[in-house]
C-alpha cells in the first residue's frame, strides 16, 4: 500500500469539493496513462455529494469513463434503494458519460446469477486481469463498520476468489445484494472512503486505530499497491488520537 492518509475537514461542505477534485484529477491521470478512467461508486450520502460538487466544476470530459458499482441492491432501478437508480436520477444525465460506460446489474436475475453476470461484465471490461484494477473506488462506511455489502462477521469477509459475490442475508435491508469482494477493493489504484457525522466516531476510531485485530470490515481495506484516503469531517474524527491532515481552503489531494 502506498500509505494511508486520513484527511479531516470541518464539515462535508469543505470535504465535498476536495472529493470532486480527487475524482477529476485521478480521471485525468488515468486517461493520460491508459486511455480511460475506471471508477467504482457507492451509494448513500456520496450520491448527493458527487452530484453537487462534480456539477460545480468545469464540465469534465466523461466520454472515456467506465463506471461500476462497489455494491448494489437487488431491486428494480426505479426503487429508491437502487444505487444506480439514484445516480441515474441525480447525476449521470448531467455529465457526458456514454450509456455503454455504466456497468449495471441485471436485477431480473436471482441473486447468485446476478452476481455471476456482473462478474462477467467486469471481466469483459478488465480482460486478462485476475481481479479488476479500478483507477478509483469511492467507499462509505456504515455505523457497524461495514463497507460495500461486506458486513461484520459475515462469511463473505473471507472470500478470496470471486470478483463479485451474492449476499441474500444482509443485516441491513434490502437483504439481497451483490458486492465487490476484498480482493477487488484492494487491487484498486486508489481507494477513498468518505465518512461524516458523529455517529461514526466510535467505530471510525476502532477502524483506524484498532490495528489488524479490528473486527470491522472497513479496516480490511488496504490496497496492495494503491493509495488509501479517509476523507472525514470533524464530528466523525472526534475520537481519533492518530495524526491526521487538516488541509486549508482550496486544498487538493
Amino acid at each position: 500500500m502506498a500509505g494511508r492518509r486520513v484527511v479531516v475537514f470541518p464539515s462535508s461542505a469543505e470535504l465535498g469539493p476536495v472529493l470532486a477534485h480527487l475524482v477529476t484529477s485521478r480521471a485525468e491521470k488515468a486517461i493520460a496513462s491508459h486511455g480511460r478512467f475506471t471508477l467504482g461508486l457507492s451509494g448513500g450520502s456520496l450520491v448527493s455529494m458527487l452530484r453537487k460538487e462534480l456539477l460545480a466544476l468545469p464540465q469534465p470530459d466523461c466520454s472515456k469513463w467506465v463506471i461500476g458499482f462497489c455494491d448494489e441492491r437487488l431491486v428494480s432501478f426505479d426503487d429508491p434503494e437502487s444505487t444506480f437508480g439514484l445516480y441515474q436520477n441525480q447525476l449521470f444525465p448531467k455529465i457526458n458519460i456514454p450509456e455503454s460506460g455504466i456497468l449495471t446489474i441485471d436485477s431480473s436475475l436471482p441473486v447468485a446469477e446476478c452476481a455471476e453476470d456482473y462478474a462477467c461484465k467486469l471481466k469483459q471490461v478488465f480482460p486478462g486481469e485476475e481481479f479488476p484494477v479500478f483507477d478509483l473506488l469511492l467507499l462509505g462506511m456504515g455505523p457497524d463498520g461495514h463497507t460495500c455489502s461486506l458486513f461484520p462477521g459475515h462469511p463473505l469477509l473471507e472470500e478470496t476468489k470471486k470478483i463479485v459475490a451474492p449476499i441474500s442475508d444482509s443485516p441491513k435491508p434490502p437483504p439481497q445484494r451483490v458486492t465487490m469482494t476484498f480482493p477487488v477493493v484492494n487491487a484498486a489504484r486508489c481507494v477513498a472512503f468518505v465518512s461524516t457525522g458523529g455517529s461514526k466516531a466510535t467505530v471510525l476510531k476502532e477502524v483506524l486505530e484498532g490495528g489488524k485485530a479490528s473486527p470491522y470490515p472497513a479496516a480490511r481495506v488496504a490496497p496492495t499497491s494503491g493509495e488509501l484516503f479517509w476523507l472525514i469531517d470533524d464530528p466523525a474524527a472526534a475520537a481519533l488520537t492518530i495524526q491526521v491532515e487538516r488541509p486549508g481552503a482550496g486544498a487538493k489531494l
Side-chain angles (χ1 to χ4, degrees), residues 56-140:
L57 294 175
Q59 181 68 53
D61 179 8
C62 304
S63 62
K64 295 180 180 178
W65 291 25
V66 177
I67 291 181
F69 294 91
C70 300
D71 66 327
E72 181 60 285
R73 292 86 180 269
L74 195 63
V75 295
S76 64
F77 292 152
D78 60 0
D79 189 298
E81 292 285 356
S82 168
T83 299
F84 165 73
L86 291 173
Y87 280 103
Q88 183 63 20
N89 286 335
Q90 299 186 37
L91 180 63
F92 291 157
K94 300 175 183 178
I95 57 178
N96 67 324
I97 181 167
E99 190 174 323
S100 61
I102 303 172
L103 307 176
T104 59
I105 66 166
D106 183 344
S107 60
S108 70
L109 296 173
V111 66
E113 293 177 31
C114 180
E116 291 179 9
D117 178 72
Y118 202 62
C120 287
K121 290 178 179 177
L122 292 181
K123 288 177 182 177
Q124 290 172 1
V125 173
F126 296 90
E129 297 180 10
E130 181 181 7
F131 295 105
V133 179
F134 278 84
D135 293 306
L136 176 61
L137 297 180
L138 299 182
L139 301 181

Side-chain angles (χ1 to χ4, degrees), residues 144-147 149-159 167 169-171 182 214-218 220:
D144 61 352
H146 86 268
T147 191
S149 283
L150 299 166
F151 292 91
H154 197 279
L156 282 184
L157 299 184
E158 310 306 326
E159 178 60 57
I167 177 170
D169 56 352
S170 167
F182 280 125
S214 174
Y216 297 107
R220 298 194 183 202

Side-chain angles (χ1 to χ4, degrees):
M1 187 171 70
R4 183 184 74 183
R5 294 175 63 183
V6 180
V7 190
V8 181
F9 302 85
S11 73
S12 58
E14 292 83 11
L15 188 161
V18 176
L19 173 66
H21 183 267
L22 177 68
V23 173
T24 56
S25 65
R26 292 304 186 274
E28 292 171 2
K29 179 180 177 182
I31 292 168
S33 170
H34 44 268
R36 69 175 187 176
F37 173 53
T38 51
L39 171 65
L41 295 175
S42 301
S45 60
L46 269 170
V47 183
S48 57
M49 185 179 291
L50 288 172
R51 177 201 66 208
K52 176 184 176 184
E53 303 298 348
L54 280 178
L55 297 179
L57 294 175
Q59 181 68 53
D61 179 8
C62 304
S63 62
K64 295 180 180 178
W65 291 25
V66 177
I67 291 181
F69 294 91
C70 300
D71 66 327
E72 181 60 285
R73 292 86 180 269
L74 195 63
V75 295
S76 64
F77 292 152
D78 60 0
D79 189 298
E81 292 285 356
S82 168
T83 299
F84 165 73
L86 291 173
Y87 280 103
Q88 183 63 20
N89 286 335
Q90 299 186 37
L91 180 63
F92 291 157
K94 300 175 183 178
I95 57 178
N96 67 324
I97 181 167
E99 190 174 323
S100 61
I102 303 172
L103 307 176
T104 59
I105 66 166
D106 183 344
S107 60
S108 70
L109 296 173
V111 66
E113 293 177 31
C114 180
E116 291 179 9
D117 178 72
Y118 202 62
C120 287
K121 290 178 179 177
L122 292 181
K123 288 177 182 177
Q124 290 172 1
V125 173
F126 296 90
E129 297 180 10
E130 181 181 7
F131 295 105
V133 179
F134 278 84
D135 293 306
L136 176 61
L137 297 180
L138 299 182
L139 301 181
M141 182 190 72
D144 61 352
H146 86 268
T147 191
C148 301
S149 283
L150 299 166
F151 292 91
H154 197 279
L156 282 184
L157 299 184
E158 310 306 326
E159 178 60 57
T160 59
K161 295 180 179 179
K162 290 180 179 177
I163 294 172
V164 179
I167 177 170
S168 57
D169 56 352
S170 167
K172 179 182 177 182
Q176 293 195 324
R177 303 161 175 239
V178 298
T179 182
M180 290 183 186
T181 58
F182 280 125
V184 176
V185 173
N186 287 328
R189 293 183 177 93
C190 182
V191 177
F193 275 96
V194 176
S195 188
T196 60
S199 65
K200 307 286 181 70
T202 301
V203 172
L204 192 60
K205 180 178 176 64
E206 291 290 331
V207 167
L208 294 177
E209 300 182 3
K212 293 183 179 180
S214 174
Y216 297 107
R220 298 194 183 202
V221 176
T224 306
S225 56
E227 302 171 282
L228 175 61
F229 292 96
W230 279 86
L231 309 180
I232 62 181
D233 65 1
D234 271 329
L240 296 181
T241 58
I242 57 171
Q243 186 172 356
V244 301
E245 300 177 44
R246 292 184 178 272
K252 299 175 181 179
L253 300 176

